[in-house]
C-alpha cells in the first residue's frame, strides 16, 4: 500500500509544475485526517516540499476544504436563486428539525455536519442536496427523513 | 421540436460515455479529419464558424487562438469546466452524458494550437461527472486516441471565482484562485506563464461538430452573428425545467412556454434572468427577445451562460436581490477593493431595505454604490454583483420604495423565497461547533 507521501509524489508528476498538486494533495490529506488539522497541513506541506503556511493559505480559499473539524458525513443544501425559488428554505428547515441543529452546525455525536451551500449546478432539478458529494435532486421537505435515515444508516 | 441537436444529440438513446457507443455515432471522426489538416486551417475553420464562447463572455474562440504565439514550444489547452454560475447546469450534463465529445474537442483544439497538454478544470462539487469524465479520458488514452497529447482532469475545491479564467489558471497552478491583472491575457501569458487557449466546456465540445458539419452547414444553424446551438439551462418557476439544446436566436417566449411548459399554478411571470444570476433581469414585455448574444445585449442584458431563471409574481425582488448579493459577497476573492467592500455594502443596504429600516436616501446610496463598483474591479465578479441589484432596483423601483415607505417588506412571509438562508449567514452567525471525540 502506498503511503500519503508516495501518493503526493505521483500527483506532482502529473503536472509540469509540482505546485499544481497542492489542491489534490490537500484533498487527499483531508480524506486521511477528516479535516485539515495542523498535523494534516504539516504532512501535506512535507510531501509537497513547501510550508504548512502556504498549504493553509490555499486551503482557506476553498469551500470544500475544511480547516475546522466536521462531521463524518456532510449534508449540504443549495439555497441559491433557482433552488430558493423552488422552496429550498423549507428543505433547510426540515433538515434542521430532523437533525436538531442549525445550518453550519454538527450533530452532537459528530456524525453529520449540515450546511447551506451556494449553487451546486442542479438548478433544473431543484432543490439540490449533496450528501458526501453525491447529489439528491428534486428534494422536498417530505424526502428529508429518508435522506437523513440513509446517512445515519451508513454511519 | 425538430431542432438540430449537436452537443446532446443521441444522448437520450445511447450511453455515449461508453467509447464504443460514441464511436458508433461517428465519434472521433472529426479528430481524424483534424489530424489531416494543418493547424492553421483548423483555427481558420473555428474563426469562420464564428464560434463564440458559451461560458459567459461570448468571446470568439478563433480570435483567442489567433493570439497564441505558435512558435512557442510550450502551449496549453485549458477547459473551463468550473461551471458555478447560479442557474447554469449545462456543462455538468455535457460532461456526464457526452464526455468523449468534450475530449475530442480538446484533442482537436490541441492540434489547432499545437499544444501537447490539456487540462480540464472541473468544479470540485461535480464528483459524479468527474468520475465519468476521468474514465472516458482513460478509455480514450487506452484506445491510442491521444497521440502526442496528454489530458489531465483537475478537480477544483469549491470557489465560484475559479470560473473566471485568470482565477482558474491561478487555481490550476495550485494557488488561491484570485484573478490576475490583465493584460496580458491567457493566449499570451496563461498557465505557467505560457500561451494558453482557455474555453468553456460547451465551446470546446462544439469544435468537433464544426468539422463534422463543415463551416457552411454549421453557419446555417442559429443566427448569422451567433451560429450554432446552445444548451439552455431553464430553471426557477417553470413547469418543465431542464437543459434544452436550441439554435441561437430562439425566442425567449418559445423556451419558456413551448419547451418549458409555461409558469405553473396559474402564476404570472415577474422577471426573467436570461444568462445566470449575474446578468440584468428582463421583464415580461421582453419575452420576444431572441436568445442570442447581440439580441439579449440590445435588450439590456447578457447571454451569459445561457442559464434562464424564471421568477414568478410571488417573489419579493428585494429578497431576491439580497440573496444574489449575499452570494457575490461570499464569492468575492477579496483581492480588489471595489468588489471586496462593495459587495458588503450591497448586502448591508439591501438588508436594511428588506427589514424596513431604510430611508429614501438609502435607495440613492444603493444606486451610488452600484455605479462606483461597475467597471472598477479587477475581474467581472464586481460587475456581476452589481447587475442583479441595479437591474432589480431599476425595473422594480416601486417595490423597493414600498419597503421604505411602509417600513416593512410588503411580501413578508408570503414571498416565495421568504427567509432564505445563505452560506454567508452561517459564517456570520453560527460559531463553529467543536466535534466531540
Amino acid at each position: 500500500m502506498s503511503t500519503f507521501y508516495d501518493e503526493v509524489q505521483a500527483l506532482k508528476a502529473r503536472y509540469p509544475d509540482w505546485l499544481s498538486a497542492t489542491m489534490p494533495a490537500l484533498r487527499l490529506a483531508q480524506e486521511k485526517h477528516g479535516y485539515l488539522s495542523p498535523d494534516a497541513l504539516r504532512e501535506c506541506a512535507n510531501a509537497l516540499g513547501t510550508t504548512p503556511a502556504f498549504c493553509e493559505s490555499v486551503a482557506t480559499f476553498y469551500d470544500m476544504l475544511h480547516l475546522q473539524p466536521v462531521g463524518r458525513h456532510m449534508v449540504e443544501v443549495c439555497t441559491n436563486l433557482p433552488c430558493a425559488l423552488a422552496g429550498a428554505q423549507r428543505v433547510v428547515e426540515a433538515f434542521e428539525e430532523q437533525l436538531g441543529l442549525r445550518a453550519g452546525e454538527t450533530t452532537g455525536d459528530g456524525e453529520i455536519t449540515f450546511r447551506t451551500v451556494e449553487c451546486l449546478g442542479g438548478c433544473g432539478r431543484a432543490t439540490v442536496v449533496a450528501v458526501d458529494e453525491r447529489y439528491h435532486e428534486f428534494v422536498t421537505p417530505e424526502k428529508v427523513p429518508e435522506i437523513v435515515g440513509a446517512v445515519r444508516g451508513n454511519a | 421540436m425538430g431542432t438540430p441537436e449537436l452537443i446532446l444529440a443521441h444522448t437520450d438513446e445511447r450511453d455515449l460515455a461508453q467509447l464504443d457507443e460514441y464511436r458508433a455515432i461517428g465519434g472521433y471522426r472529426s479528430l481524424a479529419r483534424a489530424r489531416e489538416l494543418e493547424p492553421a486551417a483548423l483555427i481558420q475553420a473555428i474563426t469562420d464558424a464564428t464560434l463564440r464562447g458559451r461560458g459567459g463572455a461570448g468571446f470568439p474562440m478563433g480570435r483567442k487562438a489567433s493570439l497564441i504565439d505558435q512558435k512557442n514550444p510550450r502551449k496549453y489547452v485549458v477547459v473551463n469546466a468550473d461551471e458555478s454560475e447560479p442557474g447554469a447546469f449545462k456543462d455538468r450534463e455535457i460532461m456526464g452524458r457526452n464526455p468523449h465529445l468534450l475530449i475530442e474537442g480538446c484533442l482537436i483544439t490541441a492540434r489547432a494550437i499545437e499544444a501537447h497538454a490539456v487540462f480540464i478544470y472541473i468544479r470540485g462539487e461535480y464528483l459524479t461527472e468527474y468520475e465519468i469524465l476521468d474514465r472516458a479520458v482513460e478509455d480514450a488514452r487506452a484506445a491510442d486516441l491521444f497521440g502526442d497529447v496528454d489530458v489531465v482532469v483537475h478537480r477544483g475545491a469549491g470557489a465560484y471565482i475559479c470560473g473566471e479564467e485568470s482565477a482558474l489558471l491561478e487555481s490550476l497552478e495550485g494557488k488561491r484562485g484570485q484573478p490576475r491583472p490583465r493584460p496580458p491575457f491567457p493566449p499570451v501569458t496563461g498557465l505557467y506563464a505560457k500561451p494558453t487557449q482557455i474555453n468553456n466546456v460547451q465551446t470546446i465540445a462544439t469544435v468537433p461538430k464544426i468539422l463534422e458539419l463543415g463551416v457552411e452547414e454549421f453557419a446555417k444553424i442559429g443566427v448569422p452573428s451567433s451560429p450554432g446551438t446552445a444548451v439552455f439551462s431553464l430553471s426557477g418557476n417553470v413547469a418543465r425545467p431542464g437543459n434544452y439544446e436550441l439554435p441561437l436566436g430562439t425566442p425567449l417566449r418559445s423556451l419558456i412556454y413551448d419547451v418549458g411548459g409555461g409558469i405553473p399554478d396559474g402564476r404570472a411571470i415577474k422577471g426573467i434572468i436570461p444568462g445566470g444570476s449575474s446578468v440584468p433581469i428582463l421583464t415580461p414585455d421582453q419575452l420576444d427577445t431572441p436568445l442570442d448574444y447581440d439580441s439579449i445585449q440590445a435588450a439590456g442584458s447578457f447571454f451569459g451562460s445561457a442559464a434562464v431563471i424564471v421568477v414568478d409574481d410571488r417573489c419579493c425582488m428585494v429578497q431576491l436581490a439580497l440573496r444574489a448579493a449575499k452570494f457575490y459577497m461570499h464569492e468575492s476573492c477579496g483581492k480588489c477593493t471595489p468588489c471586496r467592500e462593495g459587495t458588503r455594502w450591497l448586502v448591508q443596504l439591501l438588508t436594511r431595505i428588506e427589514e424596513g429600516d431604510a430611508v429614501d436616501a438609502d435607495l440613492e446610496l444603493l444606486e451610488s454604490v452600484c455605479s462606483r463598483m461597475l467597471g472598477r474591479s479587477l475581474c467581472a465578479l464586481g460587475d456581476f454583483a452589481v447587475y442583479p441589484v441595479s437591474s432589480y432596483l431599476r425595473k422594480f423601483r416601486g417595490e423597493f420604495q414600498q419597503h421604505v415607505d411602509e417600513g416593512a417588506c410588503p411580501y413578508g412571509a408570503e414571498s416565495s423565497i421568504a427567509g432564505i438562508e445563505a452560506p454567508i449567514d452561517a459564517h456570520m452567525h453560527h460559531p463553529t461547533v467543536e466535534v466531540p471525540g
Side-chain angles (χ1 to χ4, degrees):
Chain A
M1 214 181 98
S2 62
T3 64
F4 175 82
Y5 184 90
D6 295 333
E7 285 180 59
V8 171
Q9 304 319 305
L11 287 171
K12 287 160 77 172
R14 299 181 74 194
Y15 300 94
D17 189 320
W18 67 266
L19 196 59
S20 288
T22 305
M23 219 148 62
L26 283 166
R27 198 187 268 277
L28 208 58
Q30 177 165 289
E31 281 167 18
K32 183 180 169 190
H33 293 260
Y35 76 104
L36 292 171
S37 62
D39 276 348
L41 290 168
R42 270 194 293 274
E43 187 176 5
C44 195
N46 179 52
L48 283 167
T50 182
T51 64
F54 175 74
C55 289
E56 188 173 356
S57 80
V58 173
T60 54
F61 195 80
Y62 299 96
D63 286 343
M64 296 178 75
L65 300 175
H66 308 296
L67 276 297
Q68 302 291 333
V70 289
R72 256 186 292 279
H73 299 283
M74 181 69 78
V75 176
E76 300 167 307
V77 180
C78 169
T79 65
N80 210 303
L81 305 194
C83 283
L85 291 166
Q89 185 57 28
R90 293 198 302 279
V91 175
V92 170
E93 287 158 12
F95 273 111
E96 289 179 333
E97 197 191 320
Q98 190 78 23
L99 295 168
L101 44 58
R102 291 202 56 192
E105 297 178 345
T106 301
T107 52
D109 58 5
E111 280 301 319
I112 301 172
T113 292
F114 172 71
R115 64 177 188 169
T116 57
V117 288
E118 295 296 4
C119 186
L120 288 170
C123 323
R125 295 180 277 271
T127 296
V128 184
V129 174
V131 177
D132 296 331
E133 302 184 33
R134 298 293 175 187
Y135 285 15
H136 296 245
E137 299 176 314
F138 295 115
V139 176
T140 56
E142 294 72 38
K143 292 182 183 166
V144 166
E146 191 189 322
I147 293 172
V148 171
V151 178
R152 290 233 183 259
N154 286 337
Chain B
M1 288 290 292
T3 49
E5 280 194 332
L6 301 178
I7 309 295
L8 296 176
H10 306 292
T11 50
D12 281 336
E13 65 263 29
R14 285 171 182 271
D15 179 10
L16 295 182
Q18 308 301 323
L19 179 57
D20 50 351
E21 289 286 294
Y22 181 68
R23 279 186 146 161
I25 59 153
Y28 288 108
R29 267 188 228 155
S30 291
L31 176 63
R33 201 163 305 161
R35 286 187 172 148
E36 291 163 6
L37 295 170
E38 289 301 312
L42 287 171
I43 294 176
Q44 194 61 48
I46 292 165
T47 305
D48 292 345
T50 326
L51 177 56
R52 297 175 67 167
R54 302 288 196 254
F59 195 82
M61 181 179 173
R63 185 123 40 99
K64 279 189 184 178
S66 69
L67 295 171
I68 286 181
D69 174 12
Q70 296 289 354
K71 291 188 294 295
N72 194 316
R74 290 185 72 185
K75 298 183 278 285
Y76 299 105
V77 172
V78 176
V79 179
N80 185 342
D82 192 55
E83 175 171 71
S84 12
E85 177 69 20
F89 49 101
K90 66 183 176 63
D91 295 340
R92 180 177 158 219
E93 179 136 357
I94 294 167
M95 291 185 287
R97 300 182 72 193
N98 207 351
H100 284 288
L101 180 64
L102 174 63
I103 296 165
E104 186 174 9
C106 290
L107 296 171
I108 297 170
T109 305
R111 164 108 185 137
I113 68 157
E114 297 176 77
H116 302 289
V118 176
F119 294 92
I120 303 173
Y121 185 106
I122 182 170
R123 71 174 291 188
E125 289 86 349
Y126 285 176
L127 172 60
T128 301
E129 290 70 25
Y130 162 74
E131 288 169 349
I132 293 169
L133 186 61
D134 200 48
R135 187 174 149 222
V137 164
E138 291 316 316
D139 289 349
R141 190 197 312 276
D144 283 332
L145 288 162
F146 283 3
D148 58 357
V149 177
D150 193 24
V151 179
V152 172
V153 186
H154 183 92
R155 294 183 73 192
Y160 169 79
I161 189 61
C162 292
E164 195 283 331
E165 62 182 16
S166 71
L168 185 152
L169 295 174
E170 285 287 296
S171 180
L172 181 50
E173 288 182 7
K175 306 171 198 161
R176 294 166 71 86
Q178 294 189 310
R180 298 172 177 172
R182 277 149 295 166
F185 292 92
V188 177
T189 305
L191 185 63
Y192 313 119
K194 298 290 186 280
T196 301
Q197 178 81 26
I198 176 166
N199 282 104
N200 167 260
V201 168
Q202 196 189 342
T203 317
I204 298 277
T206 303
V207 171
K209 295 294 172 182
I210 292 173
L211 293 188
E212 181 185 318
L213 294 172
V215 171
E216 264 179 47
E217 285 302 308
F218 178 82
K220 286 180 190 163
I221 305 166
V223 292
S225 64
S226 326
T229 61
V231 179
F232 290 94
S233 297
L234 183 62
S235 70
N237 302 124
V238 63
R240 291 194 295 270
N243 281 316
Y244 300 103
E245 184 174 5
L246 301 167
L248 288 162
T250 301
L252 183 55
R253 185 187 300 278
S254 174
L255 173 67
I256 294 175
Y257 287 93
D258 301 340
V259 180
I263 316 307
D265 309 325
R267 309 300 313 198
I269 293 184
K270 189 168 189 177
I272 312 103
I273 304 167
S277 73
S278 65
V279 308
I281 198 164
L282 300 176
T283 37
D285 54 301
Q286 295 175 296
L287 274 168
D288 292 312
T289 307
L291 292 166
D292 62 73
Y293 299 91
D294 298 342
S295 302
I296 297 181
Q297 204 161 345
S301 188
F302 298 104
F303 185 82
S305 45
V308 179
I309 307 169
V310 181
V311 182
D312 77 19
D313 57 0
R314 294 170 302 164
C315 185
C316 166
M317 296 313 283
V318 175
Q319 291 179 11
L320 198 67
L322 176 58
R323 180 64 188 86
K326 284 180 178 176
F327 168 65
Y328 292 104
M329 173 178 157
H330 183 254
E331 302 300 339
S332 175
C333 81
K335 184 167 178 171
C336 73
T337 311
C339 179
R340 182 186 62 244
E341 302 303 320
T343 50
R344 275 150 185 78
W345 277 70
L346 294 181
V347 168
Q348 286 170 26
L349 282 166
L350 287 164
T351 301
R352 197 184 292 174
I353 296 165
E354 172 56 22
E355 291 178 354
D357 298 329
V359 294
D360 285 332
D362 287 324
L363 297 187
E364 284 150 41
L365 183 55
L366 188 60
E367 280 179 330
S368 165
V369 171
C370 287
S371 67
R372 281 152 200 263
M373 288 174 72
L374 206 57
R376 286 173 164 82
S377 299
L378 195 57
C379 80
L381 195 145
D383 293 349
F384 290 177
V386 167
Y387 289 136
V389 178
S390 65
S391 70
Y392 303 176
L393 177 59
R394 193 171 60 251
K395 297 207 164 185
F396 301 93
R397 180 91 188 196
E399 204 173 306
F400 281 71
Q401 188 66 49
Q402 211 181 340
H403 281 74
V404 176
D405 294 346
E406 295 178 9
C409 176
Y411 287 82
E414 298 304 307
S415 167
S416 58
I417 65 164
I420 190 73
E421 288 181 49
I424 206 86
D425 298 328
H427 290 199
M428 291 192 290
H429 302 308
H430 308 308
T432 308
V433 176
E434 288 295 320
V435 178

